[in-house]
Amino acid sequence: MSRGNTRQRIQDIALELFAERGYEKTSLREIAEQLGVTKAALYYHFKTKEDLVTSLFEDLVLGPADEVIAWAEARQPTTLETKLEILNRYSECISKATPLVRFIHENQAALRDLSVGEQMKARMFTLLKLIKDEDAALTDQVRCSSALFTMHSSLFTLESSGAGIEEKRQAALEVARELVTSAHHHGPAPRPAAETSSARHG
Amino acid sequence: MSRGNTRQRIQDIALELFAERGYEKTSLREIAEQLGVTKAALYYHFKTKEDLVTSLFEDLVLGPADEVIAWAEARQPTTLETKLEILNRYSECISKATPLVRFIHENQAALRDLSVGEQMKARMFTLLKLIKDEDAALTDQVRCSSALFTMHSSLFTLESSGAGIEEKRQAALEVARELVTSAHHHGPAPRPAAETSSARHG
Amino acid sequence: MSRGNTRQRIQDIALELFAERGYEKTSLREIAEQLGVTKAALYYHFKTKEDLVTSLFEDLVLGPADEVIAWAEARQPTTLETKLEILNRYSECISKATPLVRFIHENQAALRDLSVGEQMKARMFTLLKLIKDEDAALTDQVRCSSALFTMHSSLFTLESSGAGIEEKRQAALEVARELVTSAHHHGPAPRPAAETSSARHG
Amino acid sequence: MSRGNTRQRIQDIALELFAERGYEKTSLREIAEQLGVTKAALYYHFKTKEDLVTSLFEDLVLGPADEVIAWAEARQPTTLETKLEILNRYSECISKATPLVRFIHENQAALRDLSVGEQMKARMFTLLKLIKDEDAALTDQVRCSSALFTMHSSLFTLESSGAGIEEKRQAALEVARELVTSAHHHGPAPRPAAETSSARHG
DNA sequence: TATGAATGAGTATTCATTCAT
DNA sequence: TATGAATGAATACTCATTCAT
């Protein structure tokens, strides 16, 4: 029947269920049932449940993110322009993996026990370092974290707005760009204790 | 031995473990063991595992959030000043419940099966409606969601920065205020298709 | 509040629940809850769950059955008339304890672990011996067992017929009398292997 | 080791234990232990405990009873001869499932929570309708119920009599036939209040 | 490439019972 | 007369994983 594509089909169903019901709540039995195969068949293609989820990460986000990182690291020191292009590129690559991004956001606790979780965290950390000045003020660190977070979460939030997926991506991207731009202009953290709260953008 | 404080102690340990290891990964056995009581003792104080987690939400965030909402709803229509005060107040109330907020963020998948998850989502939705103009442009919707998100996540992110908890709160609050202020000034979504991408804050 | 009648109220509720949901399915928690007291209160009045159920048997059927037996044993050897009067008397005494009779019939398995079950069985055995001739043919043994059985089960079967409780009792009694009368007339088991199957009453 | 007969072996042991100790008192652990497998193995073959007991009913009584019913329904209106043949056939089919019949009789309370209990009750109701004239007098209803009851209970009662299983079945059958014959001859319920108690068979 | 059969360790939950107050 | 707090042992059930075929 199904030629050599079983592995792919497992990944598809798994991603769908993981995103929908969470990692721990999704059992291999369920995945197998939806596929019409036995649990044991899954074990022919993936050594463990963790192996299965890992394969999803590698194909869908770790690889793409590494490309963005490689591109950015070849271009140091990082100008504002580079930072914004990082956002552009990263935004594009995650928008192709929406369900997995949703999965990541909603299963942080589960990811803590998965080695792939560490890897993902590392990528985020690297990206963050690239768009954030070293010694940036605390507010600017927040801005940069927030920029990344925003791009992630906007992919699956705002369901009430009837906006299309690309529209949402663009909106999130714009806000992220503003946040990073704002952080960039402030430069390094000012003399400690001078952390005033008032506006100073633009 | 310990008088009437067992219930409280259960809640404390439970919150700690739920935040640290996640909802599904934390078994009642673990909680009981850490407390030095039997599982059955937990069931004397809480009818189910869900009941236990629910009690944490009610005491720590649902109640406080409702106060903020009540205050804000008594003050409609919502001026920018009101919006910013909502952020202030909400920021303060969640900063007292950091571990639970972390729990919420990292266990979204698990919360989907908990009735208290729905309740929490409803509060977020209401707060969002209060700080966001109806018919706001998509970017402004993103800004407002992001503001809330940012306040939440900053409480437990940025561990690398040696910042204290209050410092982090203030930094997140400031960014959140900027985002909401920015959204507020834009007013309703412009004529469709005029969604320009360039800067227009201030 | 409730004076000295708590013990009685426990028995009432317990009987009701035992009959309705079965012995094992009825927990002391349920009984206590329906009564508005704590489980521990039950333990003040009854040493164990078995003790509680035992008290019901003693008050409602063991005592009364013993009276019938005592009356019958004083009247040996047992004439047909005596046998029929046993049925009359026994019928009357169980009809006052319908729910318990139902309980007995539907919880035979549970009763096997209860010492009161043995006692009940002994009473049945004695009654049976009284209405059945020693060395009765197998069919006549069946008839006599059936007579007793019939009186029991008719108390709570035949719900479809709109008959009143006393009507049902009378009907069952009549059938029981016929069965015993029939058995009585046959006398001792005929020469073995002569057990013909056709009618031979009257 | 043992090929494909595990499922059967589970059923055998389960039936034995269910009959001996009752449904609720028999735990899956016990069944598994007696079989020398793990509890989980049972769950490979039966989805739930209820599923296991259901399989016993289907194989041993529901199916056979349905055959009797089908035969009888094809032969309406129901003559006395047909009625008696129903008893014959039903008697035969239950005598092959003695332990399950015992289980049914002694676990009525437990069966109330099992869907298979409802099904069994429905079969009994149908059989009863077939051997009992519509509008039969109350005594005759009792006779017919009693006939069924008697065939059931005689399979496992009368252990004191050294009679063999087939002898018992024949004895019960004979009594059942008499009861039904008697009921049949009376015809519909007489003018109310004419319910005389004396003999009037054949 | 898969399956059938099984396992071991775990889960949440329930129950009858106890005892100090 | 009762209760509040707890226990120990049990229960049905689920899961990721294994392995011979």
Side-chain angles (χ1 to χ4, degrees):
Chain A
M1 285 187 194
S2 53
R3 296 189 324 282
N5 60 336
T6 300
R7 194 188 144 96
Q8 180 66 47
R9 285 171 58 226
I10 294 174
Q11 287 179 313
D12 290 350
I13 299 267
L15 178 50
E16 191 181 316
L17 290 179
F18 284 155
E20 214 163 281
R21 319 174 32 79
Y23 181 70
E24 346 237 7
K25 280 274 200 176
T26 303
S27 71
L28 295 185
R29 176 174 53 70
E30 268 175 300
I31 297 175
E33 257 166 29
Q34 284 236 357
L35 235 95
V37 298
T38 358
K39 266 185 295 173
L42 305 188
Y43 277 90
Y44 177 79
H45 294 281
F46 301 94
K47 238 173 37 199
T48 63
K49 190 186 184 185
E50 176 162 1
D51 209 50
L52 170 50
V53 82
T54 298
S55 80
L56 295 172
F57 273 76
E58 277 164 357
D59 296 2
L60 295 174
V61 300
L62 292 180
D66 280 341
E67 283 177 38
V68 176
I69 289 169
W71 176 88
E73 282 180 340
R75 190 151 317 235
Q76 269 164 328
T78 331
T79 64
L80 175 55
E81 221 171 342
T82 303
K83 289 177 182 175
L84 297 181
E85 181 60 13
I86 291 174
L87 297 183
N88 285 340
R89 289 177 179 233
Y90 185 64
S91 167
E92 252 175 48
C93 84
I94 60 173
S95 86
K96 287 172 194 145
T98 317
L100 185 53
V101 174
R102 181 180 165 205
F103 170 75
I104 292 168
H105 256 246
E106 300 187 337
N107 291 271
Q108 293 274 92
L111 283 174
R112 228 172 296 139
D113 297 320
L114 266 26
S115 82
V116 85
E118 285 298 317
Q119 290 177 248
M120 189 63 205
K121 210 170 146 188
R123 278 359 171 250
M124 286 302 101
F125 195 68
T126 305
L127 280 175
L128 189 56
K129 263 178 78 176
L130 285 164
I131 59 176
K132 181 201 95 186
D133 293 337
E134 205 168 348
D135 300 321
L138 203 52
T139 35
D140 289 329
Q141 292 184 45
V142 170
R143 269 181 266 259
C144 293
S145 294
S146 222
L148 254 24
F149 239 73
T150 297
M151 291 196 314
H152 278 178
S153 61
S154 296
L155 289 176
F156 50 91
T157 328
L158 303 179
E159 285 159 13
S160 62
S161 82
I165 193 168
E166 179 60 15
E167 266 180 303
K168 291 202 246 174
R169 184 178 81 85
Q170 288 293 351
L173 183 52
E174 183 179 336
V175 175
R177 290 168 62 101
E178 281 170 20
L179 284 162
V180 167
T181 302
S182 174
H184 182 81
H185 287 155
H186 298 148
R191 18 214 154 15
E195 185 76 354
T196 59
S197 77
S198 57
R200 76 203 130 138
H201 27 40
Chain B
M1 287 192 192
S2 49
R3 269 223 348 290
N5 61 332
T6 301
R7 195 189 142 96
Q8 180 67 49
R9 285 171 59 224
I10 294 173
Q11 288 178 313
D12 291 350
I13 300 265
L15 178 49
E16 192 181 315
L17 290 178
F18 283 155
E20 213 163 280
R21 316 173 35 75
Y23 181 71
E24 344 238 7
K25 280 276 200 174
T26 303
S27 72
L28 294 185
R29 177 180 52 72
E30 269 175 300
I31 297 175
E33 258 167 26
Q34 284 235 0
L35 237 97
V37 297
T38 12
K39 269 180 294 170
L42 304 188
Y43 279 92
Y44 177 75
H45 294 282
F46 300 95
K47 241 172 33 200
T48 63
K49 191 185 183 186
E50 176 162 0
D51 207 50
L52 170 50
V53 82
T54 297
S55 80
L56 296 172
F57 272 77
E58 277 165 357
D59 295 1
L60 295 175
V61 300
L62 291 180
D66 280 340
E67 284 178 36
V68 176
I69 289 169
W71 177 87
E73 283 180 339
R75 191 148 319 234
Q76 268 163 327
T78 330
T79 66
L80 175 56
E81 222 171 339
T82 303
K83 288 177 181 175
L84 298 180
E85 183 61 13
I86 290 175
L87 296 181
N88 285 340
R89 290 179 179 231
Y90 185 64
S91 167
E92 250 176 49
C93 85
I94 61 175
S95 86
K96 285 171 194 147
T98 316
L100 185 53
V101 174
R102 181 179 165 205
F103 170 76
I104 292 168
H105 257 246
E106 300 186 338
N107 291 270
Q108 292 275 93
L111 282 175
R112 227 171 299 140
D113 297 318
L114 267 26
S115 82
V116 85
E118 284 298 316
Q119 291 178 246
M120 190 63 205
K121 208 170 148 189
R123 283 351 175 256
M124 286 301 102
F125 194 69
T126 305
L127 280 175
L128 189 55
K129 263 178 79 174
L130 285 164
I131 59 177
K132 182 201 94 186
D133 292 337
E134 206 168 345
D135 300 321
L138 204 53
T139 34
D140 289 329
Q141 292 184 44
V142 170
R143 269 181 265 261
C144 292
S145 292
S146 223
L148 254 24
F149 240 72
T150 298
M151 292 196 314
H152 278 178
S153 61
S154 297
L155 288 176
F156 50 90
T157 328
L158 302 179
E159 286 159 12
S160 63
S161 83
I165 192 168
E166 178 60 16
E167 267 180 301
K168 290 202 247 173
R169 183 177 82 86
Q170 288 294 349
L173 182 53
E174 184 178 333
V175 175
R177 290 167 61 102
E178 282 170 21
L179 284 162
V180 168
T181 303
S182 174
H184 182 80
H185 287 153
H186 298 148
R191 22 217 152 12
E195 185 77 351
T196 59
S197 77
S198 56
R200 73 203 132 142
H201 28 38
Chain C
M1 284 190 195
S2 52
R3 295 189 325 283
N5 60 336
T6 300
R7 193 188 144 96
Q8 179 66 49
R9 285 171 58 225
I10 294 174
Q11 287 179 313
D12 291 349
I13 299 267
L15 177 50
E16 191 183 316
L17 289 179
F18 284 156
E20 213 164 284
R21 318 174 32 78
Y23 181 70
E24 345 237 7
K25 280 274 201 176
T26 303
S27 72
L28 294 185
R29 176 175 54 69
E30 268 175 300
I31 297 175
E33 256 166 28
Q34 284 234 0
L35 235 95
V37 299
T38 355
K39 266 185 293 173
L42 304 187
Y43 278 90
Y44 177 80
H45 294 281
F46 300 94
K47 240 173 37 198
T48 65
K49 190 186 183 184
E50 176 161 2
D51 210 51
L52 169 51
V53 82
T54 297
S55 80
L56 295 172
F57 273 76
E58 278 165 356
D59 295 3
L60 295 174
V61 300
L62 293 180
D66 281 340
E67 284 177 37
V68 176
I69 289 169
W71 175 88
E73 283 180 338
R75 190 150 319 233
Q76 270 165 325
T78 331
T79 65
L80 174 56
E81 222 173 341
T82 303
K83 289 177 182 175
L84 298 181
E85 181 61 13
I86 291 175
L87 296 182
N88 285 341
R89 290 179 178 231
Y90 185 64
S91 168
E92 250 176 50
C93 84
I94 61 172
S95 87
K96 285 172 194 146
T98 317
L100 186 53
V101 174
R102 181 179 166 205
F103 171 76
I104 292 169
H105 256 246
E106 300 186 338
N107 290 270
Q108 293 274 93
L111 282 174
R112 226 172 299 139
D113 298 320
L114 266 26
S115 81
V116 85
E118 285 299 316
Q119 292 177 246
M120 190 64 206
K121 208 169 147 189
R123 279 357 172 253
M124 285 302 100
F125 194 69
T126 306
L127 280 175
L128 189 55
K129 264 177 77 176
L130 286 163
I131 59 176
K132 182 200 93 184
D133 292 337
E134 205 166 348
D135 300 321
L138 204 53
T139 35
D140 289 329
Q141 292 183 45
V142 170
R143 271 182 262 261
C144 293
S145 293
S146 221
L148 254 22
F149 238 72
T150 297
M151 291 197 313
H152 278 177
S153 61
S154 296
L155 288 176
F156 50 91
T157 328
L158 301 180
E159 286 159 11
S160 63
S161 81
I165 195 167
E166 178 60 16
E167 266 180 302
K168 291 201 246 173
R169 184 177 82 85
Q170 288 293 351
L173 182 53
E174 183 179 334
V175 175
R177 291 167 62 102
E178 281 170 22
L179 285 161
V180 167
T181 302
S182 174
H184 183 82
H185 287 154
H186 297 148
R191 20 212 156 11
E195 184 77 353
T196 58
S197 78
S198 56
R200 77 209 130 133
H201 26 39
Chain D
M1 289 189 193
S2 49
R3 269 225 349 289
N5 61 333
T6 301
R7 193 189 145 95
Q8 180 67 49
R9 284 172 59 224
I10 295 173
Q11 287 179 314
D12 291 349
I13 300 265
L15 177 51
E16 192 182 316
L17 290 178
F18 283 155
E20 212 164 282
R21 318 175 32 76
Y23 182 70
E24 345 238 7
K25 280 276 200 175
T26 303
S27 71
L28 295 186
R29 177 179 52 72
E30 268 175 301
I31 297 176
E33 258 167 27
Q34 285 236 358
L35 236 97
V37 297
T38 13
K39 268 179 294 168
L42 304 189
Y43 279 93
Y44 176 76
H45 294 281
F46 300 95
K47 242 172 34 201
T48 63
K49 190 185 183 185
E50 176 162 0
D51 208 50
L52 170 51
V53 82
T54 296
S55 79
L56 295 172
F57 273 75
E58 277 164 358
D59 295 2
L60 295 175
V61 299
L62 292 181
D66 280 339
E67 283 177 37
V68 176
I69 289 170
W71 176 88
E73 283 181 338
R75 191 150 319 234
Q76 269 163 326
T78 330
T79 65
L80 174 55
E81 221 172 340
T82 303
K83 289 177 182 176
L84 297 181
E85 181 60 13
I86 291 175
L87 295 183
N88 284 342
R89 291 178 178 231
Y90 185 63
S91 167
E92 251 176 49
C93 84
I94 61 174
S95 87
K96 285 171 194 148
T98 316
L100 185 52
V101 174
R102 181 178 166 207
F103 170 76
I104 291 169
H105 257 245
E106 300 187 338
N107 290 271
Q108 293 274 92
L111 281 175
R112 226 172 299 140
D113 297 319
L114 266 27
S115 83
V116 85
E118 285 298 316
Q119 291 177 245
M120 190 62 206
K121 210 170 146 188
R123 282 349 175 258
M124 286 302 102
F125 194 69
T126 305
L127 281 175
L128 188 55
K129 264 177 77 175
L130 285 164
I131 59 176
K132 183 201 94 185
D133 293 337
E134 205 167 345
D135 301 320
L138 203 52
T139 34
D140 289 328
Q141 292 183 45
V142 170
R143 268 180 265 262
C144 292
S145 294
S146 223
L148 254 22
F149 241 72
T150 297
M151 292 196 314
H152 278 178
S153 60
S154 296
L155 289 175
F156 49 91
T157 327
L158 302 179
E159 286 159 12
S160 64
S161 82
I165 193 167
E166 179 60 15
E167 266 181 303
K168 291 202 248 174
R169 182 177 84 85
Q170 289 293 350
L173 182 53
E174 183 178 335
V175 175
R177 290 167 63 101
E178 282 170 22
L179 284 162
V180 168
T181 302
S182 174
H184 182 81
H185 287 153
H186 297 149
R191 21 208 155 17
E195 186 77 353
T196 57
S197 76
S198 57
R200 68 197 142 150
H201 26 39

